Amino acid sequence: MGRPATFVRFAGCNLRCQGCDTDQKAHWQMSLPDVLAKIRGDRVVITGGEPTMQMREFSELISLLHSHGKEIHIESNGTNPIAEEILKKIRYAVISPKRCSDFHLNFWASKENVHLKFVMGTAPWCWTSSLLEPYLPILDRCRVWIMAYGTDQEMMGARDAWDLAMKLGINYSDRLHIRLLKR
Ligand code: SF4
């Protein structure tokens, strides 16, 4: 967060989270060389929607960027496990499980370059302290983050999320894109 990067957003998602901050309708088609030509700098974040919905293109893009020496980060809801040979080309994968989905927690928890991000709140797909705590014994707390739900700049749950992170010994993540981009 806060470091310069080119964002590549794949269109579409297999989940429909209430309050999703991504426009799921806007999209256009690009070839892999077209995408490569648009990349600025050495750091690329591949996100969505859900990028693994287009697993072949997602995997090919990662291999292409890796062959060009790019530092690759991805964001995913974790519903589609990524092949080992692709995962190892990724610097950090941020997996944000939604509680009503099949998120393969044991798979992701076993990968050292995977960080798990849980969005806290009252929406049906969000997490609460009591829902999250049973999973903590199988997770490496250094790679677990919580973030407050919120699509407006007030970020009303941010302080509660921070307090909970301190109590559980895990990490807090802010929503910098919301604080800065909607002004
Ligand atoms: S998984 Fe992410 S992109 Fe998909 S609907 Fe939920 S918040 Fe939006």
Side-chain angles (χ1 to χ4, degrees):
M1 185 168 60
R3 302 174 78 193
T6 301
F7 265 58
V8 179
R9 277 198 187 277
F10 278 65
C13 185
N14 53 339
L15 303 182
R16 296 199 196 300
C17 305
Q18 171 198 334
C20 173
D21 60 13
T22 303
D23 180 352
Q24 301 289 358
K25 295 196 180 108
H27 67 277
W28 57 92
Q29 291 196 332
M30 296 175 75
S31 68
L32 291 180
D34 287 345
V35 175
L36 186 63
K38 293 270 188 193
I39 302 291
R40 298 289 175 267
D42 291 331
R43 187 177 300 112
V44 183
V45 178
I46 302 174
T47 182
E50 174 47 47
T52 64
M53 292 288 289
Q54 302 173 67
M55 187 64 91
R56 184 171 59 83
E57 292 81 359
F58 170 77
S59 300
E60 288 175 0
L61 177 60
I62 288 171
S63 295
L64 182 67
L65 294 172
H66 187 260
S67 71
H68 282 75
K70 302 296 183 187
E71 180 186 305
I72 304 164
H73 301 242
I74 70 131
E75 297 178 334
S76 166
N77 61 29
T79 51
N80 297 312
I82 299 169
E84 204 71 55
E85 67 268 23
I86 299 300
L87 202 50
K88 70 185 182 191
K89 293 174 180 169
I90 296 170
R91 176 74 172 272
Y92 289 122
V94 175
I95 302 297
S96 180
K98 307 300 185 279
R99 69 178 160 100
C100 301
S101 66
D102 189 4
F103 44 79
H104 307 281
L105 194 62
N106 285 320
F107 174 82
W108 299 116
S110 69
K111 312 296 180 193
E112 289 194 352
N113 60 342
V114 169
H115 286 239
L116 290 154
K117 182 184 78 181
F118 297 87
V119 178
M120 313 303 286
T122 54
W125 55 276
C126 286
W127 295 81
T128 62
S129 174
S130 59
L131 288 167
L132 176 59
E133 282 187 64
Y135 289 108
L136 288 178
I138 65 161
L139 302 178
D140 174 2
R141 291 180 195 227
C142 294
R143 296 188 285 113
V144 179
W145 302 72
I146 58 174
M147 174 187 270
Y149 171 70
T151 55
D152 56 42
Q153 290 168 296
E154 280 71 37
M155 300 281 302
M156 299 304 284
R159 180 69 211 202
D160 288 345
W162 166 268
D163 288 342
L164 182 61
M166 296 303 101
K167 179 181 153 212
L168 298 178
I170 57 179
N171 306 297
Y172 167 81
S173 176
D174 208 61
R175 296 174 79 87
L176 189 61
H177 59 304
I178 299 293
R179 290 197 193 274
L180 298 182
L181 295 182
K182 288 195 170 177
R183 287 186 190 281

